[in-house]
Amino acid sequence: MVQSFNPIVRTLMGPGPSDVNPRVLQAMAKPTIGHLDPEFIRLMDEIKSLLQLTFKTGNELTIPVSAPGSAGMETCFVNLVEPGDKVIVCENGVFGGRMAENVTRLGGQVVQVEQDWGRAVDPDQLEVALKSHPDAKFVAFVHAETSTGALSDANTLCRLAIEHNCLTIVDCVTSLAGCEVDIDGWGVDATYSGTQKCLSCAPGLSPISLSPKAVDVIKNRKTPVNSWFLDLNLVMGYWGQGQKRAYHHTAPVNSLYGLHEALVILHEEGLEASWRRHEVNHLALRSGLEALGLEFIVPEGERLHQLNTVTIPAGVDEAVVRSQLLQRFNLEIGAGLGSLAGKVWRIGLMGYASNPKNVLFCVNALEAVLAENSAKINLGVATRAVQVAYQLSQNG
Ligand SMILES: *Cc1c(COP(=O)(O)O)cnc(C)c1O
């Protein structure tokens, strides 16, 4: 007989999905109602307002796309970029590479600003590209590069793009709710995020926000948007404010209950408080990992608080360690991606999972498994280092 699926309860400390708040799971288990039900329309309006607060934007076109973060990325590119458009893409990891791939597939022209993996995007290099390509129409970059753990200076990069009359497309999948995101303050024209990173919601939705300038670009396209499902002209018939909602696709009703609850939880805590919590737990995890002898690959000042990328001790099989953590401790941490595969671990402290209990648990579980694998690490000092870091944060 086929039986019900009962997943093991894990602690998710990889690059996403992160642990989902039990309140979100409960919200998702509530009865399904119609996607054009007036009660559901009311929920949609609330989700839009909560997303505007979260992105710090007044953009009317702020909605969740009914698909994961990659679909949010594709929504921004497919609606904005037309064949022949020149797009400066800053690439410092896997997700910047996907942006370039989107542009190429749309017939756009990519101008690559390449950066070493593990580093933030260099504003000087962007400026050079902007000066040598005055006909560029867009600048695209990833705010929080989850493949490496690097945080770029979105404010400075956007300011440069604006000075050179470019619209900005910014990936905020991992940054939203985990560190400062200020869409209007920075002048971002198109952004997308995901539900399963620092929003601690189930995977499968992608909040996006487009500025009035970006909407103008979409309305004045010479060619139709090359996707029916993601065409925002059509999607807005369903999500548009004050409009008579018309059927476009069946919204993922229960997933949207979950997103609503995740946003309620976030704003109960407060945006700034959430950013600060991610910072405090990052500092404690960092102390613990460094006490063990692991090294961060991203220089200080460019590090994400929600994703910690560290080197693997010599002679250790990184996949064996991850599998032992999973089997024995039900703890998931992430492997390296792309050119960092096999070379690093990526330890997430995202959303609900960013808490002192997880920091201590992860540091201790890693210590135990590494010791068993005869890794050359410092034993017996990591827990104390974590405690001291928390004391410092409390006093500071
Ligand atoms: C996770 C992630 C994505 C893709 O999101 P999916 O939900 O996996 O499709 C895009 N960009 C960044 C920076 C991410 O971390």
Side-chain angles (χ1 to χ4, degrees):
M1 260 308 274
V2 180
Q3 289 183 335
S4 302
F5 178 63
N6 291 301
I8 295 166
V9 178
R10 311 272 203 205
T11 301
L12 301 181
M13 297 181 70
S18 63
D19 284 341
V20 179
N21 191 308
R23 279 175 59 185
V24 171
L25 295 175
Q26 275 164 14
M28 291 176 75
K30 288 180 182 171
T32 304
I33 58 176
H35 68 112
L36 291 169
D37 188 310
E39 278 297 291
F40 189 67
I41 303 284
R42 195 172 58 79
L43 181 81
M44 289 166 70
D45 285 339
E46 262 185 47
I47 290 173
K48 285 172 64 173
S49 315
L50 286 165
L51 283 178
Q52 285 172 330
L53 277 178
T54 311
F55 277 122
K56 298 187 76 166
T57 182
N59 290 340
E60 173 76 19
L61 183 41
T62 302
I63 58 168
V65 172
S66 304
S70 305
M73 178 189 285
E74 194 135 348
T75 300
C76 290
F77 285 95
V78 82
N79 279 276
L80 289 171
V81 178
E82 288 197 79
D85 282 351
K86 203 177 246 191
V87 186
I88 300 179
V89 180
C90 307
E91 232 183 287
N92 62 340
V94 166
F95 293 102
R98 289 189 180 179
M99 285 179 146
E101 177 73 21
N102 266 271
V103 174
T104 306
R105 286 183 183 223
L106 292 164
Q109 214 182 321
V110 175
V111 175
Q112 221 180 8
V113 174
E114 258 193 298
Q115 190 64 53
D116 290 344
W117 284 36
R119 295 301 307 268
V121 172
D122 179 3
D124 293 340
Q125 269 178 261
L126 172 61
E127 191 162 24
V128 169
L130 283 162
K131 281 183 176 152
S132 38
H133 298 277
D135 55 337
K137 206 169 158 190
F138 303 99
V139 167
F141 65 89
V142 178
H143 183 212
E145 202 15 289
T146 324
S147 63
T148 67
L151 176 72
S152 287
D153 179 353
N155 192 20
T156 301
L157 297 174
C158 287
R159 195 171 36 75
L160 284 170
I162 294 162
E163 275 170 18
H164 291 82
N165 296 314
C166 284
L167 269 71
T168 51
I169 304 174
V170 184
D171 178 318
C172 288
V173 174
T174 285
S175 51
L176 194 68
C179 58
E180 185 185 17
V181 169
D182 187 358
I183 295 308
D184 286 0
W186 296 339
V188 176
D189 291 297
T191 186
Y192 54 92
S193 188
T195 40
Q196 79 278 26
K197 313 253 166 139
C198 296
L199 291 173
S200 275
C201 190
L205 294 172
S206 176
I208 60 166
S209 185
L210 283 90
S211 72
K213 253 204 264 175
V215 172
D216 267 357
V217 169
I218 297 172
K219 286 193 174 145
N220 293 309
R221 285 178 63 102
K222 294 182 215 71
T223 55
V225 173
N226 224 326
S227 160
W228 179 86
F229 184 66
L230 301 176
D231 184 344
L232 287 171
N233 297 298
L234 305 177
V235 174
M236 281 309 280
Y238 179 54
W239 274 95
Q241 198 83 37
Q243 292 184 27
K244 198 175 168 318
R245 310 290 171 115
Y247 170 66
H248 175 258
H249 66 278
T250 309
V253 172
N254 292 59
S255 296
L256 288 165
Y257 296 167
L259 175 59
H260 181 267
E261 188 66 13
L263 293 170
V264 166
I265 294 166
L266 174 64
H267 291 286
E268 279 173 5
E269 178 181 19
L271 262 187
E272 278 84 5
S274 176
W275 302 340
R276 172 72 184 145
R277 172 167 55 82
H278 282 85
E279 181 183 9
V280 167
N281 290 315
H282 156 76
L283 291 173
L285 180 73
R286 171 193 156 181
S287 294
L289 295 176
E290 287 183 343
L292 286 175
L294 305 183
E295 284 163 21
F296 278 72
I297 67 156
V298 177
E300 205 173 342
E302 298 179 8
R303 281 178 201 156
L304 286 174
H305 297 150
Q306 54 273 58
L307 193 90
N308 302 269
T309 307
V310 289
T311 52
I312 292 154
V316 168
D317 182 334
E318 72 85 19
V320 167
V321 170
R322 276 188 298 110
S323 117
Q324 288 177 350
L325 286 171
L326 193 66
Q327 281 163 18
R328 303 239 307 281
F329 293 97
N330 285 313
L331 171 62
E332 179 180 279
I333 65 168
L337 200 59
S339 67
L340 292 174
K343 296 181 186 153
V344 295
W345 287 309
R346 290 181 300 152
I347 303 176
L349 282 173
M350 297 185 179
Y352 185 66
S354 176
N355 64 61
K357 181 169 154 240
N358 279 359
V359 169
L360 272 171
F361 171 52
C362 177
V363 166
N364 283 298
L366 247 184
E367 181 171 350
V369 169
L370 284 173
E372 256 183 51
N373 283 270
S374 314
K376 284 205 187 64
I377 53 162
N378 310 313
L379 293 173
V381 289
T383 301
R384 182 69 198 133
V386 171
Q387 291 165 354
V388 170
Y390 278 121
Q391 277 162 14
L392 282 174
S393 295
Q394 253 170 6
N395 300 336

